[in-house]
PDB file of all heavy atoms in Angstrom:
ATOM      1  N   GLY A  14     -10.461  -2.702  10.098  1.00 77.00           N
ATOM      2  CA  GLY A  14      -9.750  -1.734  10.885  1.00 77.00           C
ATOM      3  C   GLY A  14      -8.416  -2.113  11.406  1.00 77.00           C
ATOM      4  O   GLY A  14      -8.127  -3.295  11.500  1.00 77.00           O
ATOM      5  N   GLY A  15      -7.780  -1.097  11.972  1.00 57.00           N
ATOM      6  CA  GLY A  15      -6.578  -1.366  12.616  1.00 57.00           C
ATOM      7  C   GLY A  15      -5.264  -1.537  11.734  1.00 57.00           C
ATOM      8  O   GLY A  15      -4.239  -1.952  12.235  1.00 57.00           O
ATOM      9  N   THR A  16      -5.429  -1.137  10.502  1.00 60.00           N
ATOM     10  CA  THR A  16      -4.192  -1.124   9.666  1.00 60.00           C
ATOM     11  C   THR A  16      -3.827   0.221   9.227  1.00 60.00           C
ATOM     12  O   THR A  16      -4.591   1.124   9.316  1.00 60.00           O
ATOM     13  CB  THR A  16      -4.423  -2.005   8.413  1.00 60.00           C
ATOM     14  OG1 THR A  16      -5.322  -1.191   7.522  1.00 60.00           O
ATOM     15  CG2 THR A  16      -5.186  -3.231   8.746  1.00 60.00           C
ATOM     16  N   ALA A  17      -2.613   0.297   8.780  1.00 54.00           N
ATOM     17  CA  ALA A  17      -2.104   1.585   8.348  1.00 54.00           C
ATOM     18  C   ALA A  17      -2.845   2.190   7.091  1.00 54.00           C
ATOM     19  O   ALA A  17      -2.770   3.311   6.865  1.00 54.00           O
ATOM     20  CB  ALA A  17      -0.664   1.517   7.970  1.00 54.00           C
ATOM     21  N   GLY A  18      -3.429   1.276   6.387  1.00 51.00           N
ATOM     22  CA  GLY A  18      -4.212   1.769   5.139  1.00 51.00           C
ATOM     23  C   GLY A  18      -5.553   2.211   5.309  1.00 51.00           C
ATOM     24  O   GLY A  18      -6.231   2.767   4.372  1.00 51.00           O
ATOM     25  N   ARG A  19      -6.038   2.009   6.547  1.00 52.00           N
ATOM     26  CA  ARG A  19      -7.438   2.523   6.829  1.00 52.00           C
ATOM     27  C   ARG A  19      -7.628   4.053   6.587  1.00 52.00           C
ATOM     28  O   ARG A  19      -7.015   4.799   7.099  1.00 52.00           O
ATOM     29  CB  ARG A  19      -7.998   2.113   8.262  1.00 52.00           C
ATOM     30  CG  ARG A  19      -9.368   2.360   8.468  1.00 52.00           C
ATOM     31  CD  ARG A  19      -9.741   1.673   9.855  1.00 52.00           C
ATOM     32  NE  ARG A  19     -11.243   2.033  10.077  1.00 52.00           N
ATOM     33  CZ  ARG A  19     -12.380   1.465   9.529  1.00 52.00           C
ATOM     34  NH1 ARG A  19     -12.074   0.513   8.814  1.00 52.00           N
ATOM     35  NH2 ARG A  19     -13.526   1.804   9.966  1.00 52.00           N
ATOM     36  N   GLY A  20      -8.632   4.307   5.806  1.00 54.00           N
ATOM     37  CA  GLY A  20      -9.050   5.743   5.556  1.00 54.00           C
ATOM     38  C   GLY A  20      -8.206   6.446   4.550  1.00 54.00           C
ATOM     39  O   GLY A  20      -8.242   7.681   4.448  1.00 54.00           O
ATOM     40  N   ARG A  21      -7.328   5.673   3.765  1.00 64.00           N
ATOM     41  CA  ARG A  21      -6.461   6.315   2.832  1.00 64.00           C
ATOM     42  C   ARG A  21      -6.393   5.360   1.614  1.00 64.00           C
ATOM     43  O   ARG A  21      -6.634   4.151   1.644  1.00 64.00           O
ATOM     44  CB  ARG A  21      -5.131   6.581   3.371  1.00 64.00           C
ATOM     45  CG  ARG A  21      -4.374   5.391   3.713  1.00 64.00           C
ATOM     46  CD  ARG A  21      -3.067   5.575   4.418  1.00 64.00           C
ATOM     47  NE  ARG A  21      -2.111   6.264   3.462  1.00 64.00           N
ATOM     48  CZ  ARG A  21      -0.873   6.624   3.778  1.00 64.00           C
ATOM     49  NH1 ARG A  21      -0.387   6.246   4.989  1.00 64.00           N
ATOM     50  NH2 ARG A  21      -0.050   7.107   2.878  1.00 64.00           N
ATOM     51  N   ALA A  22      -5.987   5.880   0.492  1.00 84.00           N
ATOM     52  CA  ALA A  22      -5.871   5.164  -0.793  1.00 84.00           C
ATOM     53  C   ALA A  22      -4.582   4.299  -0.575  1.00 84.00           C
ATOM     54  O   ALA A  22      -3.519   4.784  -0.546  1.00 84.00           O
ATOM     55  CB  ALA A  22      -5.684   6.054  -2.015  1.00 84.00           C
ATOM     56  N   TRP A  23      -4.776   2.967  -0.623  1.00 91.00           N
ATOM     57  CA  TRP A  23      -3.488   2.051  -0.515  1.00 91.00           C
ATOM     58  C   TRP A  23      -3.150   1.421  -1.818  1.00 91.00           C
ATOM     59  O   TRP A  23      -2.100   0.904  -1.903  1.00 91.00           O
ATOM     60  CB  TRP A  23      -3.804   1.046   0.532  1.00 91.00           C
ATOM     61  CG  TRP A  23      -4.949   0.221   0.257  1.00 91.00           C
ATOM     62  CD1 TRP A  23      -6.304   0.312   0.743  1.00 91.00           C
ATOM     63  CD2 TRP A  23      -4.991  -0.990  -0.484  1.00 91.00           C
ATOM     64  NE1 TRP A  23      -7.029  -0.730   0.413  1.00 91.00           N
ATOM     65  CE2 TRP A  23      -6.235  -1.512  -0.472  1.00 91.00           C
ATOM     66  CE3 TRP A  23      -4.049  -1.619  -1.255  1.00 91.00           C
ATOM     67  CZ2 TRP A  23      -6.653  -2.701  -1.068  1.00 91.00           C
ATOM     68  CZ3 TRP A  23      -4.422  -2.802  -1.813  1.00 91.00           C
ATOM     69  CH2 TRP A  23      -5.642  -3.384  -1.874  1.00 91.00           C
ATOM     70  N   LEU A  24      -3.997   1.557  -2.772  1.00 91.00           N
ATOM     71  CA  LEU A  24      -3.739   1.017  -4.129  1.00 91.00           C
ATOM     72  C   LEU A  24      -3.673   2.100  -5.140  1.00 91.00           C
ATOM     73  O   LEU A  24      -4.622   2.885  -5.279  1.00 91.00           O
ATOM     74  CB  LEU A  24      -5.081   0.019  -4.528  1.00 91.00           C
ATOM     75  CG  LEU A  24      -4.940  -0.840  -5.765  1.00 91.00           C
ATOM     76  CD1 LEU A  24      -3.842  -1.958  -5.442  1.00 91.00           C
ATOM     77  CD2 LEU A  24      -6.260  -1.492  -6.141  1.00 91.00           C
ATOM     78  N   VAL A  25      -2.635   1.973  -5.910  1.00 91.00           N
ATOM     79  CA  VAL A  25      -2.293   3.047  -6.926  1.00 91.00           C
ATOM     80  C   VAL A  25      -2.305   2.407  -8.280  1.00 91.00           C
ATOM     81  O   VAL A  25      -2.155   1.155  -8.417  1.00 91.00           O
ATOM     82  CB  VAL A  25      -1.139   3.797  -6.719  1.00 91.00           C
ATOM     83  CG1 VAL A  25      -1.243   4.596  -5.390  1.00 91.00           C
ATOM     84  CG2 VAL A  25       0.116   2.862  -6.813  1.00 91.00           C
ATOM     85  N   ALA A  26      -2.487   3.102  -9.451  1.00 89.00           N
ATOM     86  CA  ALA A  26      -2.556   2.590 -10.751  1.00 89.00           C
ATOM     87  C   ALA A  26      -1.112   2.015 -11.114  1.00 89.00           C
ATOM     88  O   ALA A  26      -0.065   2.550 -10.658  1.00 89.00           O
ATOM     89  CB  ALA A  26      -2.917   3.555 -11.751  1.00 89.00           C
ATOM     90  N   ALA A  27      -1.206   0.825 -11.786  1.00 85.00           N
ATOM     91  CA  ALA A  27       0.123   0.215 -12.332  1.00 85.00           C
ATOM     92  C   ALA A  27      -0.064   0.164 -13.828  1.00 85.00           C
ATOM     93  O   ALA A  27      -0.658  -0.772 -14.367  1.00 85.00           O
ATOM     94  CB  ALA A  27       0.152  -1.232 -11.713  1.00 85.00           C
ATOM     95  N   ASP A  28       0.551   1.078 -14.334  1.00 83.00           N
ATOM     96  CA  ASP A  28       0.365   1.247 -15.906  1.00 83.00           C
ATOM     97  C   ASP A  28       1.133   0.074 -16.635  1.00 83.00           C
ATOM     98  O   ASP A  28       2.138  -0.186 -16.356  1.00 83.00           O
ATOM     99  CB  ASP A  28       1.012   2.551 -16.446  1.00 83.00           C
ATOM    100  CG  ASP A  28       0.296   3.815 -15.874  1.00 83.00           C
ATOM    101  OD1 ASP A  28      -0.854   3.658 -15.522  1.00 83.00           O
ATOM    102  OD2 ASP A  28       0.849   4.869 -15.717  1.00 83.00           O
ATOM    103  N   GLY A  29       0.401  -0.411 -17.583  1.00 82.00           N
ATOM    104  CA  GLY A  29       0.876  -1.523 -18.344  1.00 82.00           C
ATOM    105  C   GLY A  29       0.902  -2.915 -17.668  1.00 82.00           C
ATOM    106  O   GLY A  29       1.581  -3.825 -18.214  1.00 82.00           O
ATOM    107  N   ALA A  30       0.288  -3.035 -16.488  1.00 83.00           N
ATOM    108  CA  ALA A  30       0.324  -4.242 -15.749  1.00 83.00           C
ATOM    109  C   ALA A  30      -0.702  -5.305 -16.443  1.00 83.00           C
ATOM    110  O   ALA A  30      -1.546  -4.882 -17.159  1.00 83.00           O
ATOM    111  CB  ALA A  30      -0.229  -3.999 -14.370  1.00 83.00           C
ATOM    112  N   PRO A  31      -0.359  -6.520 -16.273  1.00 87.00           N
ATOM    113  CA  PRO A  31      -1.307  -7.645 -16.847  1.00 87.00           C
ATOM    114  C   PRO A  31      -2.705  -7.413 -16.314  1.00 87.00           C
ATOM    115  O   PRO A  31      -2.917  -6.772 -15.246  1.00 87.00           O
ATOM    116  CB  PRO A  31      -0.685  -9.010 -16.219  1.00 87.00           C
ATOM    117  CG  PRO A  31       0.652  -8.532 -15.896  1.00 87.00           C
ATOM    118  CD  PRO A  31       0.759  -7.062 -15.543  1.00 87.00           C
ATOM    119  N   ALA A  32      -3.706  -7.991 -16.900  1.00 87.00           N
ATOM    120  CA  ALA A  32      -4.970  -7.907 -16.680  1.00 87.00           C
ATOM    121  C   ALA A  32      -5.445  -8.388 -15.252  1.00 87.00           C
ATOM    122  O   ALA A  32      -6.457  -7.752 -14.784  1.00 87.00           O
ATOM    123  CB  ALA A  32      -5.955  -8.690 -17.737  1.00 87.00           C
ATOM    124  N   ASP A  33      -4.678  -9.354 -14.691  1.00 90.00           N
ATOM    125  CA  ASP A  33      -5.008  -9.796 -13.474  1.00 90.00           C
ATOM    126  C   ASP A  33      -4.520  -8.947 -12.302  1.00 90.00           C
ATOM    127  O   ASP A  33      -4.790  -9.312 -11.093  1.00 90.00           O
ATOM    128  CB  ASP A  33      -4.642 -11.232 -13.303  1.00 90.00           C
ATOM    129  CG  ASP A  33      -3.104 -11.369 -13.227  1.00 90.00           C
ATOM    130  OD1 ASP A  33      -2.490 -10.499 -13.736  1.00 90.00           O
ATOM    131  OD2 ASP A  33      -2.597 -12.362 -12.670  1.00 90.00           O
ATOM    132  N   VAL A  34      -3.881  -7.889 -12.673  1.00 92.00           N
ATOM    133  CA  VAL A  34      -3.173  -7.030 -11.508  1.00 92.00           C
ATOM    134  C   VAL A  34      -4.198  -5.698 -11.374  1.00 92.00           C
ATOM    135  O   VAL A  34      -4.612  -5.032 -12.447  1.00 92.00           O
ATOM    136  CB  VAL A  34      -1.756  -6.562 -11.884  1.00 92.00           C
ATOM    137  CG1 VAL A  34      -1.296  -5.444 -11.126  1.00 92.00           C
ATOM    138  CG2 VAL A  34      -0.910  -7.689 -12.001  1.00 92.00           C
ATOM    139  N   ALA A  35      -4.548  -5.519 -10.105  1.00 92.00           N
ATOM    140  CA  ALA A  35      -5.534  -4.379  -9.907  1.00 92.00           C
ATOM    141  C   ALA A  35      -4.864  -3.178  -9.746  1.00 92.00           C
ATOM    142  O   ALA A  35      -5.471  -2.094  -9.804  1.00 92.00           O
ATOM    143  CB  ALA A  35      -6.355  -4.717  -8.557  1.00 92.00           C
ATOM    144  N   GLY A  36      -3.597  -3.164  -9.395  1.00 93.00           N
ATOM    145  CA  GLY A  36      -2.770  -1.919  -9.237  1.00 93.00           C
ATOM    146  C   GLY A  36      -1.498  -2.295  -8.464  1.00 93.00           C
ATOM    147  O   GLY A  36      -1.032  -3.401  -8.368  1.00 93.00           O
ATOM    148  N   ALA A  37      -0.964  -1.285  -7.832  1.00 93.00           N
ATOM    149  CA  ALA A  37       0.288  -1.363  -6.935  1.00 93.00           C
ATOM    150  C   ALA A  37       0.065  -0.884  -5.600  1.00 93.00           C
ATOM    151  O   ALA A  37      -0.734  -0.024  -5.355  1.00 93.00           O
ATOM    152  CB  ALA A  37       1.464  -0.697  -7.674  1.00 93.00           C
ATOM    153  N   LEU A  38       0.812  -1.469  -4.577  1.00 93.00           N
ATOM    154  CA  LEU A  38       0.648  -0.959  -3.238  1.00 93.00           C
ATOM    155  C   LEU A  38       1.326   0.479  -3.226  1.00 93.00           C
ATOM    156  O   LEU A  38       2.300   0.889  -3.800  1.00 93.00           O
ATOM    157  CB  LEU A  38       1.562  -1.818  -2.375  1.00 93.00           C
ATOM    158  CG  LEU A  38       1.057  -3.222  -2.063  1.00 93.00           C
ATOM    159  CD1 LEU A  38       2.042  -3.974  -1.181  1.00 93.00           C
ATOM    160  CD2 LEU A  38      -0.322  -2.970  -1.378  1.00 93.00           C
ATOM    161  N   ALA A  39       0.614   1.322  -2.525  1.00 92.00           N
ATOM    162  CA  ALA A  39       1.021   2.765  -2.403  1.00 92.00           C
ATOM    163  C   ALA A  39       2.116   2.788  -1.334  1.00 92.00           C
ATOM    164  O   ALA A  39       2.394   1.867  -0.661  1.00 92.00           O
ATOM    165  CB  ALA A  39      -0.164   3.586  -1.863  1.00 92.00           C
ATOM    166  N   LEU A  40       3.005   3.808  -1.553  1.00 91.00           N
ATOM    167  CA  LEU A  40       4.136   3.983  -0.734  1.00 91.00           C
ATOM    168  C   LEU A  40       4.046   5.310  -0.041  1.00 91.00           C
ATOM    169  O   LEU A  40       3.461   6.365  -0.439  1.00 91.00           O
ATOM    170  CB  LEU A  40       5.414   4.062  -1.584  1.00 91.00           C
ATOM    171  CG  LEU A  40       5.693   2.839  -2.594  1.00 91.00           C
ATOM    172  CD1 LEU A  40       6.946   3.129  -3.333  1.00 91.00           C
ATOM    173  CD2 LEU A  40       5.792   1.640  -1.702  1.00 91.00           C
ATOM    174  N   ASN A  41       4.693   5.373   1.145  1.00 89.00           N
ATOM    175  CA  ASN A  41       4.678   6.585   1.899  1.00 89.00           C
ATOM    176  C   ASN A  41       5.762   7.465   1.237  1.00 89.00           C
ATOM    177  O   ASN A  41       6.472   7.059   0.440  1.00 89.00           O
ATOM    178  CB  ASN A  41       5.165   6.383   3.290  1.00 89.00           C
ATOM    179  CG  ASN A  41       4.088   5.672   4.158  1.00 89.00           C
ATOM    180  OD1 ASN A  41       2.742   5.924   3.941  1.00 89.00           O
ATOM    181  ND2 ASN A  41       4.340   4.680   4.988  1.00 89.00           N
ATOM    182  N   ARG A  42       5.991   8.698   1.851  1.00 88.00           N
ATOM    183  CA  ARG A  42       6.910   9.595   1.242  1.00 88.00           C
ATOM    184  C   ARG A  42       8.405   9.105   1.327  1.00 88.00           C
ATOM    185  O   ARG A  42       9.242   9.399   0.648  1.00 88.00           O
ATOM    186  CB  ARG A  42       6.832  10.916   1.851  1.00 88.00           C
ATOM    187  CG  ARG A  42       5.546  11.724   1.438  1.00 88.00           C
ATOM    188  CD  ARG A  42       5.487  13.052   2.037  1.00 88.00           C
ATOM    189  NE  ARG A  42       4.310  13.760   1.711  1.00 88.00           N
ATOM    190  CZ  ARG A  42       3.955  15.088   2.168  1.00 88.00           C
ATOM    191  NH1 ARG A  42       4.800  15.656   3.085  1.00 88.00           N
ATOM    192  NH2 ARG A  42       2.933  15.588   1.769  1.00 88.00           N
ATOM    193  N   ASP A  43       8.543   8.404   2.322  1.00 88.00           N
ATOM    194  CA  ASP A  43       9.972   7.688   2.555  1.00 88.00           C
ATOM    195  C   ASP A  43      10.107   6.467   1.735  1.00 88.00           C
ATOM    196  O   ASP A  43      11.285   5.845   1.919  1.00 88.00           O
ATOM    197  CB  ASP A  43      10.171   7.410   4.122  1.00 88.00           C
ATOM    198  CG  ASP A  43       9.215   6.399   4.619  1.00 88.00           C
ATOM    199  OD1 ASP A  43       8.340   5.921   3.848  1.00 88.00           O
ATOM    200  OD2 ASP A  43       9.171   6.212   5.831  1.00 88.00           O
ATOM    201  N   GLY A  44       9.141   6.101   0.953  1.00 87.00           N
ATOM    202  CA  GLY A  44       9.323   4.939   0.033  1.00 87.00           C
ATOM    203  C   GLY A  44       8.836   3.682   0.765  1.00 87.00           C
ATOM    204  O   GLY A  44       9.069   2.547   0.044  1.00 87.00           O
ATOM    205  N   HIS A  45       8.391   3.683   1.976  1.00 90.00           N
ATOM    206  CA  HIS A  45       8.074   2.419   2.706  1.00 90.00           C
ATOM    207  C   HIS A  45       6.624   2.097   2.230  1.00 90.00           C
ATOM    208  O   HIS A  45       5.751   2.995   2.067  1.00 90.00           O
ATOM    209  CB  HIS A  45       8.087   2.554   4.195  1.00 90.00           C
ATOM    210  CG  HIS A  45       9.395   2.902   4.801  1.00 90.00           C
ATOM    211  ND1 HIS A  45       9.780   2.745   6.066  1.00 90.00           N
ATOM    212  CD2 HIS A  45      10.611   3.123   4.098  1.00 90.00           C
ATOM    213  CE1 HIS A  45      11.068   2.923   6.142  1.00 90.00           C
ATOM    214  NE2 HIS A  45      11.636   3.256   5.006  1.00 90.00           N
ATOM    215  N   CYS A  46       6.277   0.788   2.198  1.00 92.00           N
ATOM    216  CA  CYS A  46       4.953   0.403   1.892  1.00 92.00           C
ATOM    217  C   CYS A  46       3.975   0.950   3.018  1.00 92.00           C
ATOM    218  O   CYS A  46       4.315   0.989   4.170  1.00 92.00           O
ATOM    219  CB  CYS A  46       4.699  -1.167   1.934  1.00 92.00           C
ATOM    220  SG  CYS A  46       3.187  -1.777   1.791  1.00 92.00           S
ATOM    221  N   VAL A  47       2.611   1.389   2.649  1.00 90.00           N
ATOM    222  CA  VAL A  47       1.744   1.955   3.492  1.00 90.00           C
ATOM    223  C   VAL A  47       1.408   0.977   4.609  1.00 90.00           C
ATOM    224  O   VAL A  47       0.828   1.419   5.762  1.00 90.00           O
ATOM    225  CB  VAL A  47       0.583   2.535   2.849  1.00 90.00           C
ATOM    226  CG1 VAL A  47       0.767   3.725   2.046  1.00 90.00           C
ATOM    227  CG2 VAL A  47      -0.176   1.365   2.078  1.00 90.00           C
ATOM    228  N   PHE A  48       1.597  -0.267   4.360  1.00 91.00           N
ATOM    229  CA  PHE A  48       1.161  -1.304   5.336  1.00 91.00           C
ATOM    230  C   PHE A  48       2.266  -1.723   6.219  1.00 91.00           C
ATOM    231  O   PHE A  48       2.019  -2.585   7.070  1.00 91.00           O
ATOM    232  CB  PHE A  48       0.502  -2.464   4.638  1.00 91.00           C
ATOM    233  CG  PHE A  48      -0.802  -2.294   3.872  1.00 91.00           C
ATOM    234  CD1 PHE A  48      -0.991  -2.400   2.561  1.00 91.00           C
ATOM    235  CD2 PHE A  48      -1.898  -1.834   4.702  1.00 91.00           C
ATOM    236  CE1 PHE A  48      -2.174  -2.183   1.931  1.00 91.00           C
ATOM    237  CE2 PHE A  48      -2.986  -1.577   4.189  1.00 91.00           C
ATOM    238  CZ  PHE A  48      -3.284  -1.740   2.819  1.00 91.00           C
ATOM    239  N   HIS A  49       3.442  -1.364   6.047  1.00 88.00           N
ATOM    240  CA  HIS A  49       4.575  -1.654   6.954  1.00 88.00           C
ATOM    241  C   HIS A  49       4.604  -0.824   8.147  1.00 88.00           C
ATOM    242  O   HIS A  49       4.564   0.528   8.122  1.00 88.00           O
ATOM    243  CB  HIS A  49       5.921  -1.508   6.197  1.00 88.00           C
ATOM    244  CG  HIS A  49       7.052  -1.868   6.923  1.00 88.00           C
ATOM    245  ND1 HIS A  49       7.195  -3.154   7.477  1.00 88.00           N
ATOM    246  CD2 HIS A  49       8.013  -1.072   7.517  1.00 88.00           C
ATOM    247  CE1 HIS A  49       8.479  -3.129   8.286  1.00 88.00           C
ATOM    248  NE2 HIS A  49       8.898  -1.924   8.299  1.00 88.00           N
ATOM    249  N   GLY A  50       4.705  -1.410   9.332  1.00 82.00           N
ATOM    250  CA  GLY A  50       4.630  -0.739  10.589  1.00 82.00           C
ATOM    251  C   GLY A  50       5.705  -1.379  11.550  1.00 82.00           C
ATOM    252  O   GLY A  50       6.437  -2.257  11.158  1.00 82.00           O
ATOM    253  N   THR A  51       5.765  -0.874  12.736  1.00 77.00           N
ATOM    254  CA  THR A  51       6.767  -1.304  13.679  1.00 77.00           C
ATOM    255  C   THR A  51       6.547  -2.837  14.170  1.00 77.00           C
ATOM    256  O   THR A  51       7.524  -3.442  14.532  1.00 77.00           O
ATOM    257  CB  THR A  51       6.707  -0.483  15.079  1.00 77.00           C
ATOM    258  OG1 THR A  51       5.393  -0.605  15.506  1.00 77.00           O
ATOM    259  CG2 THR A  51       7.053   0.931  14.744  1.00 77.00           C
ATOM    260  N   THR A  52       5.486  -3.368  13.836  1.00 77.00           N
ATOM    261  CA  THR A  52       5.207  -4.796  14.043  1.00 77.00           C
ATOM    262  C   THR A  52       5.263  -5.603  12.783  1.00 77.00           C
ATOM    263  O   THR A  52       4.873  -6.947  12.947  1.00 77.00           O
ATOM    264  CB  THR A  52       3.916  -4.985  14.742  1.00 77.00           C
ATOM    265  OG1 THR A  52       2.857  -4.358  14.076  1.00 77.00           O
ATOM    266  CG2 THR A  52       3.845  -4.282  16.258  1.00 77.00           C
ATOM    267  N   GLY A  53       5.503  -5.093  11.791  1.00 84.00           N
ATOM    268  CA  GLY A  53       5.640  -5.813  10.592  1.00 84.00           C
ATOM    269  C   GLY A  53       4.534  -5.504   9.597  1.00 84.00           C
ATOM    270  O   GLY A  53       4.063  -4.288   9.632  1.00 84.00           O
ATOM    271  N   CYS A  54       4.183  -6.313   8.750  1.00 90.00           N
ATOM    272  CA  CYS A  54       3.109  -6.036   7.681  1.00 90.00           C
ATOM    273  C   CYS A  54       1.777  -6.231   8.196  1.00 90.00           C
ATOM    274  O   CYS A  54       1.423  -7.276   8.902  1.00 90.00           O
ATOM    275  CB  CYS A  54       3.373  -7.168   6.544  1.00 90.00           C
ATOM    276  SG  CYS A  54       2.130  -6.872   5.142  1.00 90.00           S
ATOM    277  N   ALA A  55       0.889  -5.262   8.023  1.00 89.00           N
ATOM    278  CA  ALA A  55      -0.412  -5.174   8.570  1.00 89.00           C
ATOM    279  C   ALA A  55      -1.302  -6.154   7.796  1.00 89.00           C
ATOM    280  O   ALA A  55      -2.374  -6.355   8.308  1.00 89.00           O
ATOM    281  CB  ALA A  55      -0.993  -3.857   8.594  1.00 89.00           C
ATOM    282  N   VAL A  56      -0.916  -6.379   6.570  1.00 91.00           N
ATOM    283  CA  VAL A  56      -1.860  -7.279   5.787  1.00 91.00           C
ATOM    284  C   VAL A  56      -1.136  -8.606   5.279  1.00 91.00           C
ATOM    285  O   VAL A  56      -1.345  -9.078   4.292  1.00 91.00           O
ATOM    286  CB  VAL A  56      -2.393  -6.607   4.557  1.00 91.00           C
ATOM    287  CG1 VAL A  56      -3.326  -5.374   5.029  1.00 91.00           C
ATOM    288  CG2 VAL A  56      -1.237  -6.116   3.719  1.00 91.00           C
TER     289      VAL A  56
END
């Protein structure tokens, strides 16, 4: 709890990524990472 990503999809598909990559960080509509907030990175 307590992060910007709680209750929403924060991981999106990364087409063509290597096998060890689970996906890519989701972005907000403004292009900012979903985990970036006023106090920095939540994760």
Side-chain angles (χ1 to χ4, degrees):
T16 76
R19 185 171 176 80
R21 61 184 296 185
W23 59 266
L24 189 69
V25 298
D28 295 336
D33 65 336
V34 170
L38 290 176
L40 303 177
N41 294 320
R42 290 182 179 178
D43 58 5
H45 295 198
C46 172
V47 294
F48 290 121
H49 177 63
T51 56
T52 58
C54 176
V56 294

